[in-house]
Amino acid sequence: MADQHGPPVRGGPPEGWEAPRERWLSTVVRPAFGPRSVLLEVVARLLIPSILTFAVFLLVTGHDRPGGGFAAGLVAGMAYVLRYVAGGRQELAAGLPTRPQGLLAIGLLATAGTATAPLLWGDPILRTFSYTADLPVFGKVKFASYLLFELGVVFIVVGLVLAVVAALGARMEAEEEEARALSALRRRRRAPSGGAVEPRTDPGRPTTEGRNETP
Amino acid sequence: MNLLLAVPFVIPLLGAGITLLLRRSPRSKQIAGVVTLAAVVVDAVWLLWLTADGTVIASDAGGWAAPLGITLVADPLAALLLTVSSVVLLLVLLYAIGQDIGGLSSATPQTFHPLYLVLTAGVCLSFLAGDLFNLFVAFEVMLTASYALITQAPTRARVRATMIYTVVGLTSSILFLTGIALVYALVGTVNMADIAIKLDGAPDDLRMVLALLFLVVFGIKAAIVPLHFWLPDSYPVAITRISAIFAALLTKVAVYAIIRTQTLLFGGDDVSAVMLWIAIATMIVGILGALVQDDINRIMSFALVSHIGFMIFGLALNTVAGIAGVMVYLVHHIVVQATMFLVNGLVRQYVGHTSLRSIRGLTAVSPALALFFFLPAVSLAGIPPMSGFIAKVALFQAGVEAGGWLTWVGIGAGLLTSLLTIIAIFRVWTRAFWGTPLPDMLTARAELKRGPDAAGLRMMTVTTGVMVGVGVLVAVLGGPLVDLSFTAAHDLLDGGAYIEAVLPGGGS
């Protein structure tokens, strides 16, 4: 993957010395708001798995200790925000299993579903059932139907965080890219020869052609 | 029991999830929304049937007994408001669907249906919540959905209105949370029945401070007078369906919260005098505002503020008759206010705006529209056969029974407000409905009638007609309604049945 970085991307601001030369995240598209930073990418790459693991820890520990679905959802959401900050909206989209609304829907259905299920056999809403099992390595482990509810909460919170990021950051980024593309187009039309364009043109043209390019 | 109490807010949440999943097909979203709300209506009517004789039904979520767990409670007041609200919510949704079918709408259907159902869940849970914190959660669910709904089809004016609305809403939420913390610090519980028992032993001045704090919290949401400034700036700007549902329900949910907290928790007499002054100020200031406006929506928003004053007046009396009057008024006002805003939406459909300056002769443009405006308008003004008359008479009678010079001032202010309401209403009537229509209004009507929007417009008109019919029905059922209100008011002031249902055996 040595040539992943490729030649300097046509147009756009010059990459600084801190631009990554190796591939740390899943996309190499430069976000509209500026060059990528190798420091941020490495940190994101290193931290995201631990953040997500910590979120899972918060989720399962939340039954009778501090934590729970809401905290877990916020922490997991932060992992995605970090990914977005490091790599822009393409990177965020690459990491998402579904759109934020889909996550919200799954979360709502899971929470409301687990909350209502006990009603079917006449118990009050939100009734929890638990089952304690003896597992070989872990020892006594308690499974509670409450965990499903909390998982739904995680989905709702992550969905909301992502919806906010998508509506504020990513949308603005897309609009910015569009505006730059337009102005670039206009400048090209104004160029006398019509065909060849000066290499120094249009700062920050969308650099989508930078994706996985080979010379 | 458990099922009945859970359905009004769990089913809308499930529905919201389902409508979020149905991304591609607007028709299935609409069907999901209508089915959900119809289920809520059936459930609410059932609850009303069970509680009509004064029974209080309670259910502890998760099986955790009352002072500790989340309690859901339905008493006659809650069931009655739940029924009226769900009917109005269903009708406004049908109106919105009509608008969407006709392509007359500027809302984004992607987000409208889920948000609307979440709002429904919040409203229903507010009525059923048995503890203060759950009430707070319900308010937040409702308000968060409303922050997003008010920016549907964003324009510069709408975004500006949302800023005001959100900041005011968050302020009241913070105060609410502070109040809950203070109550918890004082008595160590957030369950309302439990607080009612334990607050009896609290020092009088502390009780009064708490009562005032909660009055301010819900007063902001209910738009009582020194705290009303945000409402006429934000409600009229939103799209029709949203302003209709906000005007009809959100302020009334806050009035419900005032009734619940002041009667059950604080016994009401601590802040009676303050509330009477507030009521008088609210009635007069609101209606004076309505008299000088030029936009029908703004007139209705100021009238809404002014008529909140009537409800505060009845509550301030702190008698059975007074609170019964408030309940009748609530039912009447929810229906009438929603109808007025739906009619304004139809006017906007015909004319393109609701400014009185350039509307003439709507009667000639659409006779049905004129009828739909006239009936709720005279009801709002309190002219005899309509529901507004029944409600106002109930309140004034209660005032006469209670006596006291301030109460008489209140009655005077109420009569004056009714008269001024008539003036405001007839100013709209003479300027917008009489006269010869402007030529472009007739061409606009012809285009609407022939165009592809005709089916949608018909559905909107029919829904508005049904809503007018519901308003008339409130008047026809006036007798049973007043009886029910007296039963409920008696229980509310007594509090015994509520506490006994939540904490069997009188608590710990």
Side-chain angles (χ1 to χ4, degrees):
Chain A
M1 296 236 133
D3 63 347
Q4 195 53 243
H5 183 57
V9 178
R10 241 182 326 121
E15 293 275 12
W17 57 270
E18 53 171 7
R21 280 165 215 283
E22 276 160 18
R23 185 170 166 180
W24 290 98
L25 297 176
S26 39
T27 63
V28 292
V29 184
R30 182 132 46 90
F33 49 70
R36 295 168 76 136
S37 145
V38 71
L39 192 63
L40 203 52
E41 291 204 2
V42 173
V43 167
R45 179 64 185 265
L46 290 179
L47 275 187
I48 286 173
S50 4
I51 295 178
L52 289 177
T53 316
F54 181 55
V56 173
F57 167 74
L58 281 179
L59 173 67
V60 293
T61 193
H63 185 56
D64 44 13
R65 268 177 296 170
F70 187 74
L74 279 180
V75 170
M78 283 312 113
Y80 283 98
V81 172
L82 182 61
R83 197 165 176 175
Y84 168 70
V85 170
R89 67 189 179 100
Q90 311 279 357
E91 177 64 34
L92 182 70
L96 276 187
T98 162
R99 18 167 229 134
Q101 282 87 340
L103 285 179
L104 272 175
I106 295 170
L108 266 175
L109 289 178
T111 43
T114 23
T116 15
L119 291 172
L120 296 181
W121 45 91
D123 274 327
I125 186 171
L126 282 174
R127 186 64 177 247
T128 307
F129 301 94
S130 63
Y131 168 73
T132 314
D134 258 326
L135 290 188
V137 185
F138 298 93
K140 266 199 191 330
V141 178
K142 193 165 131 190
F143 296 99
S145 64
Y146 149 92
L147 200 61
L148 202 61
F149 182 84
E150 290 288 295
L151 203 60
V153 177
V154 173
F155 274 108
I156 292 181
V157 176
V158 173
L160 263 180
V161 170
L162 291 177
V164 169
V165 172
L168 298 180
R171 176 94 55 84
M172 276 157 67
E173 206 186 321
E175 280 165 6
E176 174 85 21
E177 279 173 9
E178 204 173 296
R180 281 183 190 174
L182 261 177
S183 75
L185 196 68
R186 231 173 271 137
R187 205 166 307 142
R188 200 172 305 167
R189 286 223 185 101
R190 248 186 285 129
S193 59
V197 194
E198 295 285 296
R200 50 146 280 279
T201 46
D202 39 347
R205 255 165 55 73
T207 53
T208 33
E209 63 270 60
R211 184 197 293 256
N212 293 336
E213 68 204 298
T214 38
Chain B
M1 293 305 123
N2 294 329
L3 183 69
L4 278 182
L5 283 170
V7 162
F9 64 93
V10 175
I11 295 297
L13 285 179
L14 274 175
I18 291 170
T19 48
L20 269 172
L21 274 185
L22 303 168
R23 178 156 50 139
R24 294 270 151 67
S25 119
R27 178 55 55 89
S28 49
K29 272 183 195 234
Q30 292 162 354
I31 292 173
V34 171
V35 168
T36 309
L37 281 173
V40 176
V41 170
V42 170
D43 185 86
V45 171
W46 196 344
L47 269 179
L48 185 61
W49 180 255
L50 288 179
T51 55
D53 55 347
T55 320
V56 181
I57 307 173
S59 160
D60 296 324
W64 293 86
L68 294 178
I70 298 170
T71 315
L72 303 167
V73 191
D75 65 345
L77 170 67
L80 180 65
L81 288 179
L82 199 61
T83 311
V84 180
S85 305
S86 52
V87 169
V88 168
L89 278 160
L90 178 61
L91 285 176
V92 173
L93 183 67
L94 288 172
Y95 179 95
I97 289 174
Q99 213 173 9
D100 288 338
I101 289 176
L104 298 164
S105 131
S106 48
T108 41
Q110 270 303 343
T111 51
F112 170 72
H113 285 278
L115 285 171
Y116 191 82
L117 290 175
V118 172
L119 183 86
T120 307
V123 170
C124 295
L125 185 57
S126 307
F127 292 139
L128 295 176
D131 61 277
L132 274 182
F133 193 77
N134 208 18
L135 185 66
F136 171 77
V137 171
F139 261 70
E140 283 308 292
V141 170
M142 178 178 90
L143 289 177
T144 311
S146 76
Y147 299 149
L149 278 173
I150 202 171
T151 40
Q152 289 270 305
T155 59
R156 184 178 284 269
R158 278 183 194 139
V159 173
R160 182 182 160 276
T162 311
M163 280 305 291
I164 301 172
Y165 181 74
T166 312
V167 169
V168 172
L170 288 178
T171 312
S172 95
S173 299
I174 290 169
L175 287 176
F176 193 177
L177 207 53
T178 315
I180 293 174
L182 290 177
V183 167
Y184 189 73
L186 187 62
V187 294
T189 176
V190 288
N191 184 294
M192 288 203 264
D194 207 19
I195 297 173
I197 297 173
K198 290 185 177 155
L199 213 54
D200 270 344
D204 278 350
D205 41 356
L206 270 181
R207 269 171 50 128
M208 197 174 86
V209 169
L210 286 177
L212 277 175
L213 180 59
F214 278 103
L215 187 63
V216 169
V217 167
F218 299 125
I220 295 177
K221 289 317 300 167
I224 61 178
V225 140
L227 311 166
H228 71 290
F229 55 91
W230 56 272
L231 189 146
D233 265 347
S234 53
Y235 281 12
V237 192
I239 58 176
T240 304
R241 55 185 83 164
I242 307 300
S243 45
I245 217 64
F246 282 17
L249 291 184
L250 298 201
T251 47
K252 306 309 182 305
V253 174
V255 172
Y256 163 81
I258 296 182
I259 299 178
R260 181 65 77 205
T261 48
Q262 299 299 339
T263 57
L264 183 64
L265 302 192
F266 303 112
D269 41 342
D270 295 332
V271 289
S272 270
V274 182
M275 276 171 47
L276 262 178
W277 280 114
I278 290 175
I280 294 167
T282 308
M283 289 194 249
I284 300 290
V285 172
I287 201 64
L288 288 182
L291 282 176
V292 295
Q293 293 300 321
D294 249 345
D295 183 288
I296 308 181
N297 266 340
R298 287 183 67 87
I299 293 176
M300 287 311 148
S301 301
F302 273 103
L304 164 67
V305 171
S306 130
H307 286 247
I308 295 290
F310 282 94
M311 299 171 216
I312 304 295
F313 171 74
L315 192 53
L317 297 176
N318 200 27
T319 60
V320 170
I323 290 171
V326 178
M327 287 180 60
V328 180
Y329 210 98
L330 270 171
V331 172
H332 142 76
H333 204 245
I334 288 177
V335 176
V336 163
Q337 202 69 38
T339 322
M340 298 298 292
F341 273 91
L342 292 190
V343 171
N344 293 349
L346 283 177
V347 171
R348 198 182 280 177
Q349 222 57 260
Y350 278 112
V351 194
H353 59 85
T354 48
S355 168
L356 282 181
R357 289 208 184 112
S358 46
I359 308 179
R360 298 279 176 281
L362 273 175
T363 317
V365 174
S366 166
L369 190 57
L371 181 71
F372 292 167
F373 177 82
F374 187 77
L375 288 178
V378 292
S379 180
L380 196 66
I383 289 173
M386 311 302 293
S387 57
F389 174 72
I390 301 172
K392 284 196 172 94
V393 165
L395 278 180
F396 291 152
Q397 267 182 348
V400 172
E401 274 173 31
W405 68 272
L406 196 53
T407 314
W408 282 103
V409 175
I411 295 174
L415 288 173
L416 183 65
T417 307
S418 304
L419 283 178
L420 293 177
T421 309
I422 298 181
I423 295 180
I425 295 292
F426 282 88
R427 206 167 130 258
V428 176
W429 179 256
T430 47
R431 291 180 67 173
F433 285 85
W434 276 355
T436 43
L438 303 171
D440 54 330
M441 282 166 64
L442 286 176
T443 50
R445 175 187 66 161
E447 268 169 32
L448 267 179
K449 287 260 152 102
R450 256 186 285 113
D453 313 330
L457 188 68
R458 213 173 303 130
M459 183 159 170
M460 287 161 72
T461 316
V462 169
T463 321
T464 316
V466 173
M467 191 76 103
V468 174
V470 173
V472 175
L473 194 67
V474 173
V476 172
L477 294 179
L481 180 63
V482 171
D483 289 345
L484 177 67
S485 302
F486 268 90
T487 318
H490 191 79
D491 287 352
L492 271 176
L493 277 183
D494 178 39
Y498 188 97
I499 294 172
E500 179 61 35
V502 177
L503 301 166
S508 45

